[in-house]
mmCIF file of all heavy atoms in Angstrom:
data_model
loop_
_atom_site.group_PDB
_atom_site.id
_atom_site.type_symbol
_atom_site.label_atom_id
_atom_site.label_comp_id
_atom_site.label_asym_id
_atom_site.label_seq_id
_atom_site.Cartn_x
_atom_site.Cartn_y
_atom_site.Cartn_z
ATOM 1 N N ARG A 14 -4.466 -87.591 -6.218
ATOM 2 C CA ARG A 14 -5.103 -86.725 -7.248
ATOM 3 C C ARG A 14 -4.259 -86.582 -8.398
ATOM 4 O O ARG A 14 -3.051 -86.307 -8.282
ATOM 5 C CB ARG A 14 -5.338 -85.274 -6.603
ATOM 6 C CG ARG A 14 -6.071 -84.318 -7.603
ATOM 7 C CD ARG A 14 -6.043 -82.837 -6.996
ATOM 8 N NE ARG A 14 -6.637 -81.995 -7.789
ATOM 9 C CZ ARG A 14 -7.927 -81.590 -7.637
ATOM 10 N NH1 ARG A 14 -8.706 -82.037 -6.708
ATOM 11 N NH2 ARG A 14 -8.529 -80.736 -8.578
ATOM 12 N N GLU A 15 -4.736 -87.120 -9.523
ATOM 13 C CA GLU A 15 -3.906 -87.055 -10.720
ATOM 14 C C GLU A 15 -4.659 -86.959 -12.035
ATOM 15 O O GLU A 15 -5.957 -86.890 -11.986
ATOM 16 C CB GLU A 15 -3.153 -88.528 -10.771
ATOM 17 C CG GLU A 15 -4.045 -89.739 -10.793
ATOM 18 C CD GLU A 15 -3.205 -91.010 -10.606
ATOM 19 O OE1 GLU A 15 -2.435 -91.072 -9.654
ATOM 20 O OE2 GLU A 15 -3.390 -91.891 -11.446
ATOM 21 N N GLN A 16 -3.826 -86.671 -13.119
ATOM 22 C CA GLN A 16 -4.416 -86.585 -14.431
ATOM 23 C C GLN A 16 -4.496 -87.994 -15.139
ATOM 24 O O GLN A 16 -3.477 -88.481 -15.357
ATOM 25 C CB GLN A 16 -3.636 -85.650 -15.257
ATOM 26 C CG GLN A 16 -3.764 -84.143 -14.771
ATOM 27 C CD GLN A 16 -5.057 -83.594 -14.924
ATOM 28 O OE1 GLN A 16 -5.723 -83.630 -15.918
ATOM 29 N NE2 GLN A 16 -5.539 -83.027 -13.859
ATOM 30 N N ALA A 17 -5.682 -88.484 -15.270
ATOM 31 C CA ALA A 17 -5.802 -89.835 -15.905
ATOM 32 C C ALA A 17 -6.110 -89.565 -17.405
ATOM 33 O O ALA A 17 -6.755 -88.565 -17.770
ATOM 34 C CB ALA A 17 -6.932 -90.630 -15.248
ATOM 35 N N ILE A 18 -5.674 -90.605 -18.163
ATOM 36 C CA ILE A 18 -5.937 -90.410 -19.621
ATOM 37 C C ILE A 18 -6.854 -91.514 -20.137
ATOM 38 O O ILE A 18 -6.681 -92.687 -19.700
ATOM 39 C CB ILE A 18 -4.548 -90.588 -20.364
ATOM 40 C CG1 ILE A 18 -3.545 -89.510 -19.960
ATOM 41 C CG2 ILE A 18 -4.691 -90.617 -21.814
ATOM 42 C CD1 ILE A 18 -2.108 -89.655 -20.442
ATOM 43 N N ILE A 19 -7.893 -91.170 -20.925
ATOM 44 C CA ILE A 19 -8.811 -92.163 -21.408
ATOM 45 C C ILE A 19 -8.140 -93.033 -22.403
ATOM 46 O O ILE A 19 -7.509 -92.512 -23.528
ATOM 47 C CB ILE A 19 -9.956 -91.416 -22.000
ATOM 48 C CG1 ILE A 19 -10.731 -90.653 -20.973
ATOM 49 C CG2 ILE A 19 -10.856 -92.462 -22.675
ATOM 50 C CD1 ILE A 19 -11.962 -89.873 -21.470
ATOM 51 N N ILE A 20 -8.064 -94.321 -22.148
ATOM 52 C CA ILE A 20 -7.603 -95.326 -23.142
ATOM 53 C C ILE A 20 -8.666 -95.694 -24.142
ATOM 54 O O ILE A 20 -8.268 -95.645 -25.447
ATOM 55 C CB ILE A 20 -7.154 -96.554 -22.358
ATOM 56 C CG1 ILE A 20 -6.176 -96.315 -21.269
ATOM 57 C CG2 ILE A 20 -6.635 -97.682 -23.324
ATOM 58 C CD1 ILE A 20 -5.838 -97.435 -20.329
ATOM 59 N N ARG A 21 -9.842 -95.789 -23.683
ATOM 60 C CA ARG A 21 -10.917 -96.028 -24.730
ATOM 61 C C ARG A 21 -12.227 -95.871 -23.870
ATOM 62 O O ARG A 21 -12.344 -96.023 -22.755
ATOM 63 C CB ARG A 21 -10.871 -97.483 -25.347
ATOM 64 C CG ARG A 21 -10.945 -98.697 -24.371
ATOM 65 C CD ARG A 21 -10.814 -99.962 -25.139
ATOM 66 N NE ARG A 21 -10.936 -101.104 -24.193
ATOM 67 C CZ ARG A 21 -9.798 -101.619 -23.549
ATOM 68 N NH1 ARG A 21 -8.675 -101.079 -23.630
ATOM 69 N NH2 ARG A 21 -10.042 -102.643 -22.697
ATOM 70 N N GLN A 22 -13.293 -95.631 -24.717
ATOM 71 C CA GLN A 22 -14.674 -95.382 -24.179
ATOM 72 C C GLN A 22 -15.636 -95.856 -25.215
ATOM 73 O O GLN A 22 -15.483 -95.627 -26.384
ATOM 74 C CB GLN A 22 -14.858 -93.987 -23.674
ATOM 75 C CG GLN A 22 -16.233 -93.781 -23.141
ATOM 76 C CD GLN A 22 -16.443 -92.467 -22.294
ATOM 77 O OE1 GLN A 22 -16.896 -92.535 -21.163
ATOM 78 N NE2 GLN A 22 -15.992 -91.366 -22.834
ATOM 79 N N GLU A 23 -16.778 -96.448 -24.668
ATOM 80 C CA GLU A 23 -17.860 -96.932 -25.556
ATOM 81 C C GLU A 23 -19.113 -97.060 -24.809
ATOM 82 O O GLU A 23 -19.152 -97.253 -23.561
ATOM 83 C CB GLU A 23 -17.553 -98.295 -26.317
ATOM 84 C CG GLU A 23 -17.319 -99.396 -25.237
ATOM 85 C CD GLU A 23 -17.019 -100.697 -25.908
ATOM 86 O OE1 GLU A 23 -17.542 -100.948 -27.035
ATOM 87 O OE2 GLU A 23 -16.246 -101.490 -25.349
ATOM 88 N N GLU A 24 -20.171 -96.883 -25.498
ATOM 89 C CA GLU A 24 -21.467 -97.031 -24.896
ATOM 90 C C GLU A 24 -21.835 -98.537 -25.074
ATOM 91 O O GLU A 24 -21.890 -99.082 -26.096
ATOM 92 C CB GLU A 24 -22.593 -96.251 -25.633
ATOM 93 C CG GLU A 24 -23.987 -96.202 -25.026
ATOM 94 C CD GLU A 24 -24.925 -95.319 -25.690
ATOM 95 O OE1 GLU A 24 -24.686 -94.981 -26.933
ATOM 96 O OE2 GLU A 24 -25.974 -94.890 -25.067
ATOM 97 N N ILE A 25 -22.159 -99.210 -23.890
ATOM 98 C CA ILE A 25 -22.334 -100.678 -23.826
ATOM 99 C C ILE A 25 -23.856 -100.993 -23.621
ATOM 100 O O ILE A 25 -24.290 -102.190 -23.813
ATOM 101 C CB ILE A 25 -21.489 -101.345 -22.859
ATOM 102 C CG1 ILE A 25 -21.765 -100.810 -21.414
ATOM 103 C CG2 ILE A 25 -20.139 -101.160 -23.230
ATOM 104 C CD1 ILE A 25 -21.112 -101.587 -20.306
ATOM 105 N N ALA A 26 -24.645 -100.016 -23.334
ATOM 106 C CA ALA A 26 -26.211 -100.072 -23.192
ATOM 107 C C ALA A 26 -26.686 -98.704 -23.277
ATOM 108 O O ALA A 26 -25.888 -97.827 -23.220
ATOM 109 C CB ALA A 26 -26.527 -100.875 -21.999
ATOM 110 N N ASP A 27 -27.980 -98.551 -23.345
ATOM 111 C CA ASP A 27 -28.564 -97.252 -23.491
ATOM 112 C C ASP A 27 -28.216 -96.367 -22.283
ATOM 113 O O ASP A 27 -28.551 -96.633 -21.180
ATOM 114 C CB ASP A 27 -30.044 -97.389 -23.565
ATOM 115 C CG ASP A 27 -30.698 -96.079 -23.850
ATOM 116 O OD1 ASP A 27 -30.110 -95.192 -24.524
ATOM 117 O OD2 ASP A 27 -31.875 -95.873 -23.491
ATOM 118 N N ASP A 28 -27.379 -95.375 -22.541
ATOM 119 C CA ASP A 28 -26.914 -94.393 -21.519
ATOM 120 C C ASP A 28 -25.943 -95.003 -20.512
ATOM 121 O O ASP A 28 -25.626 -94.379 -19.411
ATOM 122 C CB ASP A 28 -28.056 -93.681 -20.776
ATOM 123 C CG ASP A 28 -28.579 -92.630 -21.594
ATOM 124 O OD1 ASP A 28 -27.917 -92.016 -22.528
ATOM 125 O OD2 ASP A 28 -29.764 -92.353 -21.358
ATOM 126 N N ILE A 29 -25.344 -96.165 -20.768
ATOM 127 C CA ILE A 29 -24.312 -96.812 -19.962
ATOM 128 C C ILE A 29 -23.034 -96.802 -20.721
ATOM 129 O O ILE A 29 -22.988 -97.395 -21.734
ATOM 130 C CB ILE A 29 -24.726 -98.336 -19.581
ATOM 131 C CG1 ILE A 29 -26.065 -98.321 -18.844
ATOM 132 C CG2 ILE A 29 -23.663 -98.957 -18.653
ATOM 133 C CD1 ILE A 29 -26.120 -97.756 -17.436
ATOM 134 N N TYR A 30 -22.018 -96.308 -20.067
ATOM 135 C CA TYR A 30 -20.696 -96.198 -20.737
ATOM 136 C C TYR A 30 -19.730 -96.910 -20.006
ATOM 137 O O TYR A 30 -19.602 -97.013 -18.811
ATOM 138 C CB TYR A 30 -20.263 -94.673 -20.941
ATOM 139 C CG TYR A 30 -21.096 -93.949 -21.975
ATOM 140 C CD1 TYR A 30 -22.398 -93.532 -21.768
ATOM 141 C CD2 TYR A 30 -20.506 -93.788 -23.270
ATOM 142 C CE1 TYR A 30 -23.181 -92.878 -22.699
ATOM 143 C CE2 TYR A 30 -21.323 -93.111 -24.194
ATOM 144 C CZ TYR A 30 -22.563 -92.707 -23.990
ATOM 145 O OH TYR A 30 -23.240 -92.128 -24.994
ATOM 146 N N SER A 31 -18.776 -97.455 -20.786
ATOM 147 C CA SER A 31 -17.574 -98.173 -20.314
ATOM 148 C C SER A 31 -16.303 -97.299 -20.706
ATOM 149 O O SER A 31 -16.114 -96.992 -21.808
ATOM 150 C CB SER A 31 -17.390 -99.559 -20.942
ATOM 151 O OG SER A 31 -16.120 -100.170 -20.844
ATOM 152 N N MET A 32 -15.530 -96.913 -19.687
ATOM 153 C CA MET A 32 -14.380 -96.197 -19.839
ATOM 154 C C MET A 32 -13.178 -96.745 -19.135
ATOM 155 O O MET A 32 -13.233 -97.106 -18.008
ATOM 156 C CB MET A 32 -14.683 -94.774 -19.211
ATOM 157 C CG MET A 32 -13.383 -93.769 -19.358
ATOM 158 S SD MET A 32 -13.662 -92.405 -18.246
ATOM 159 C CE MET A 32 -14.897 -91.454 -19.166
ATOM 160 N N TRP A 33 -12.100 -96.941 -19.916
ATOM 161 C CA TRP A 33 -10.771 -97.365 -19.312
ATOM 162 C C TRP A 33 -9.884 -96.184 -19.240
ATOM 163 O O TRP A 33 -9.750 -95.358 -20.184
ATOM 164 C CB TRP A 33 -10.108 -98.456 -20.252
ATOM 165 C CG TRP A 33 -10.639 -99.864 -19.935
ATOM 166 C CD1 TRP A 33 -11.549 -100.442 -20.631
ATOM 167 C CD2 TRP A 33 -10.072 -100.745 -18.997
ATOM 168 N NE1 TRP A 33 -11.776 -101.776 -20.178
ATOM 169 C CE2 TRP A 33 -10.799 -101.878 -19.101
ATOM 170 C CE3 TRP A 33 -9.134 -100.650 -17.956
ATOM 171 C CZ2 TRP A 33 -10.592 -103.122 -18.323
ATOM 172 C CZ3 TRP A 33 -8.875 -101.750 -17.160
ATOM 173 C CH2 TRP A 33 -9.651 -102.941 -17.274
ATOM 174 N N LEU A 34 -9.264 -95.947 -18.003
ATOM 175 C CA LEU A 34 -8.405 -94.849 -17.726
ATOM 176 C C LEU A 34 -7.098 -95.399 -17.364
ATOM 177 O O LEU A 34 -6.949 -96.292 -16.498
ATOM 178 C CB LEU A 34 -8.983 -94.059 -16.635
ATOM 179 C CG LEU A 34 -10.215 -93.180 -16.877
ATOM 180 C CD1 LEU A 34 -10.711 -92.676 -15.517
ATOM 181 C CD2 LEU A 34 -9.997 -92.055 -17.873
ATOM 182 N N ARG A 35 -6.036 -94.768 -17.913
ATOM 183 C CA ARG A 35 -4.617 -94.941 -17.449
ATOM 184 C C ARG A 35 -4.296 -93.994 -16.246
ATOM 185 O O ARG A 35 -4.547 -92.883 -16.523
ATOM 186 C CB ARG A 35 -3.671 -94.839 -18.593
ATOM 187 C CG ARG A 35 -2.236 -95.119 -18.193
ATOM 188 C CD ARG A 35 -1.285 -95.508 -19.307
ATOM 189 N NE ARG A 35 -1.541 -96.857 -19.718
ATOM 190 C CZ ARG A 35 -2.032 -97.254 -20.788
ATOM 191 N NH1 ARG A 35 -2.252 -96.266 -21.757
ATOM 192 N NH2 ARG A 35 -2.227 -98.471 -21.127
ATOM 193 N N THR A 36 -3.770 -94.622 -15.263
ATOM 194 C CA THR A 36 -3.504 -93.680 -13.949
ATOM 195 C C THR A 36 -2.021 -93.893 -13.753
ATOM 196 O O THR A 36 -1.449 -94.855 -14.038
ATOM 197 C CB THR A 36 -4.332 -94.173 -12.795
ATOM 198 O OG1 THR A 36 -3.886 -95.419 -12.317
ATOM 199 C CG2 THR A 36 -5.918 -94.294 -13.223
ATOM 200 N N GLU A 37 -1.569 -92.974 -12.900
ATOM 201 C CA GLU A 37 -0.259 -93.009 -12.450
ATOM 202 C C GLU A 37 -0.070 -93.826 -11.201
ATOM 203 O O GLU A 37 0.863 -94.680 -11.196
ATOM 204 C CB GLU A 37 0.378 -91.588 -12.184
ATOM 205 C CG GLU A 37 1.795 -91.551 -11.828
ATOM 206 C CD GLU A 37 2.337 -90.173 -11.650
ATOM 207 O OE1 GLU A 37 1.687 -89.261 -11.819
ATOM 208 O OE2 GLU A 37 3.557 -90.032 -11.215
ATOM 209 N N HIS A 38 -0.898 -93.731 -10.269
ATOM 210 C CA HIS A 38 -0.809 -94.477 -8.979
ATOM 211 C C HIS A 38 -2.052 -95.239 -8.513
ATOM 212 O O HIS A 38 -2.029 -96.244 -7.929
ATOM 213 C CB HIS A 38 -0.505 -93.562 -7.876
ATOM 214 C CG HIS A 38 0.884 -92.828 -8.046
ATOM 215 N ND1 HIS A 38 2.046 -93.518 -8.073
ATOM 216 C CD2 HIS A 38 1.167 -91.509 -8.272
ATOM 217 C CE1 HIS A 38 3.021 -92.570 -8.247
ATOM 218 N NE2 HIS A 38 2.430 -91.386 -8.359
ATOM 219 N N ILE A 39 -3.278 -94.787 -8.991
ATOM 220 C CA ILE A 39 -4.551 -95.256 -8.512
ATOM 221 C C ILE A 39 -4.747 -96.658 -8.677
ATOM 222 O O ILE A 39 -5.065 -97.440 -7.775
ATOM 223 C CB ILE A 39 -5.760 -94.427 -8.955
ATOM 224 C CG1 ILE A 39 -5.708 -92.996 -8.398
ATOM 225 C CG2 ILE A 39 -7.122 -95.102 -8.663
ATOM 226 C CD1 ILE A 39 -6.691 -92.053 -9.053
ATOM 227 N N ALA A 40 -4.472 -97.195 -9.874
ATOM 228 C CA ALA A 40 -4.586 -98.650 -10.175
ATOM 229 C C ALA A 40 -3.761 -99.482 -9.227
ATOM 230 O O ALA A 40 -4.110 -100.596 -8.841
ATOM 231 C CB ALA A 40 -4.292 -98.858 -11.611
ATOM 232 N N GLU A 41 -2.655 -99.059 -8.968
ATOM 233 C CA GLU A 41 -1.711 -99.743 -8.043
ATOM 234 C C GLU A 41 -2.211 -100.119 -6.718
ATOM 235 O O GLU A 41 -2.081 -101.145 -6.158
ATOM 236 C CB GLU A 41 -0.350 -98.964 -7.967
ATOM 237 C CG GLU A 41 0.732 -99.656 -7.117
ATOM 238 C CD GLU A 41 2.010 -98.933 -6.938
ATOM 239 O OE1 GLU A 41 2.086 -97.786 -7.649
ATOM 240 O OE2 GLU A 41 2.921 -99.284 -6.109
ATOM 241 N N TYR A 42 -3.004 -99.072 -6.165
ATOM 242 C CA TYR A 42 -3.405 -99.120 -4.804
ATOM 243 C C TYR A 42 -5.011 -99.575 -4.619
ATOM 244 O O TYR A 42 -5.357 -99.829 -3.557
ATOM 245 C CB TYR A 42 -3.200 -97.890 -3.981
ATOM 246 C CG TYR A 42 -1.801 -97.570 -3.744
ATOM 247 C CD1 TYR A 42 -1.037 -96.889 -4.658
ATOM 248 C CD2 TYR A 42 -1.139 -98.111 -2.662
ATOM 249 C CE1 TYR A 42 0.389 -96.627 -4.479
ATOM 250 C CE2 TYR A 42 0.223 -97.809 -2.429
ATOM 251 C CZ TYR A 42 0.972 -97.146 -3.373
ATOM 252 O OH TYR A 42 2.315 -96.832 -3.050
ATOM 253 N N ALA A 43 -5.715 -99.546 -5.729
ATOM 254 C CA ALA A 43 -7.143 -99.746 -5.656
ATOM 255 C C ALA A 43 -7.463 -101.179 -5.371
ATOM 256 O O ALA A 43 -6.704 -102.109 -5.522
ATOM 257 C CB ALA A 43 -7.809 -99.455 -7.048
ATOM 258 N N LYS A 44 -8.712 -101.357 -4.710
ATOM 259 C CA LYS A 44 -9.198 -102.668 -4.348
ATOM 260 C C LYS A 44 -10.604 -102.709 -4.765
ATOM 261 O O LYS A 44 -11.337 -101.747 -4.970
ATOM 262 C CB LYS A 44 -9.205 -102.874 -2.725
ATOM 263 C CG LYS A 44 -7.780 -102.724 -2.172
ATOM 264 C CD LYS A 44 -7.814 -102.919 -0.755
ATOM 265 C CE LYS A 44 -8.552 -101.792 0.012
ATOM 266 N NZ LYS A 44 -8.479 -101.977 1.479
ATOM 267 N N ALA A 45 -11.140 -103.971 -4.969
ATOM 268 C CA ALA A 45 -12.500 -104.276 -5.228
ATOM 269 C C ALA A 45 -13.384 -103.564 -4.289
ATOM 270 O O ALA A 45 -13.317 -103.766 -3.066
ATOM 271 C CB ALA A 45 -12.774 -105.710 -5.368
ATOM 272 N N GLY A 46 -14.375 -102.714 -4.826
ATOM 273 C CA GLY A 46 -15.358 -102.031 -3.913
ATOM 274 C C GLY A 46 -15.049 -100.575 -3.695
ATOM 275 O O GLY A 46 -15.969 -99.922 -3.248
ATOM 276 N N GLN A 47 -13.927 -100.180 -4.053
ATOM 277 C CA GLN A 47 -13.643 -98.697 -3.972
ATOM 278 C C GLN A 47 -14.109 -97.980 -5.128
ATOM 279 O O GLN A 47 -14.600 -98.445 -6.055
ATOM 280 C CB GLN A 47 -12.133 -98.567 -3.729
ATOM 281 C CG GLN A 47 -11.452 -99.123 -2.407
ATOM 282 C CD GLN A 47 -10.024 -98.765 -2.311
ATOM 283 O OE1 GLN A 47 -9.241 -99.147 -3.099
ATOM 284 N NE2 GLN A 47 -9.744 -97.956 -1.202
ATOM 285 N N PHE A 48 -13.923 -96.597 -4.949
ATOM 286 C CA PHE A 48 -14.477 -95.711 -6.106
ATOM 287 C C PHE A 48 -13.473 -94.584 -6.306
ATOM 288 O O PHE A 48 -12.428 -94.519 -5.517
ATOM 289 C CB PHE A 48 -15.802 -95.175 -5.792
ATOM 290 C CG PHE A 48 -15.867 -94.210 -4.576
ATOM 291 C CD1 PHE A 48 -15.751 -92.800 -4.760
ATOM 292 C CD2 PHE A 48 -16.014 -94.757 -3.304
ATOM 293 C CE1 PHE A 48 -15.943 -91.942 -3.758
ATOM 294 C CE2 PHE A 48 -16.020 -93.829 -2.183
ATOM 295 C CZ PHE A 48 -15.987 -92.419 -2.482
ATOM 296 N N VAL A 49 -13.722 -93.827 -7.434
ATOM 297 C CA VAL A 49 -12.893 -92.590 -7.734
ATOM 298 C C VAL A 49 -13.922 -91.474 -7.803
ATOM 299 O O VAL A 49 -15.080 -91.674 -8.067
ATOM 300 C CB VAL A 49 -11.991 -92.767 -8.836
ATOM 301 C CG1 VAL A 49 -10.920 -93.759 -8.763
ATOM 302 C CG2 VAL A 49 -12.934 -93.133 -10.131
#
């Protein structure tokens, strides 16, 4: 459980958003198919 910081965010289709987040640990341990 951590405070993530938004690196950037944009709308890429109607009501569909792309958000990059900087995390302290989550990125290090994440695998394809998981969620937050």
Side-chain angles (χ1 to χ4, degrees):
R14 181 186 179 98
E15 57 188 54
Q16 293 294 310
I18 299 172
I19 296 178
I20 301 170
R21 61 183 180 274
Q22 178 165 230
E23 61 180 325
E24 188 175 20
I25 57 174
D27 189 28
D28 283 336
I29 303 288
Y30 284 79
S31 164
M32 177 195 289
W33 276 95
L34 290 169
R35 177 155 290 115
T36 73
E37 186 176 355
H38 300 294
I39 290 173
E41 179 182 354
Y42 290 92
K44 299 183 295 186
Q47 291 186 299
F48 67 97
V49 293

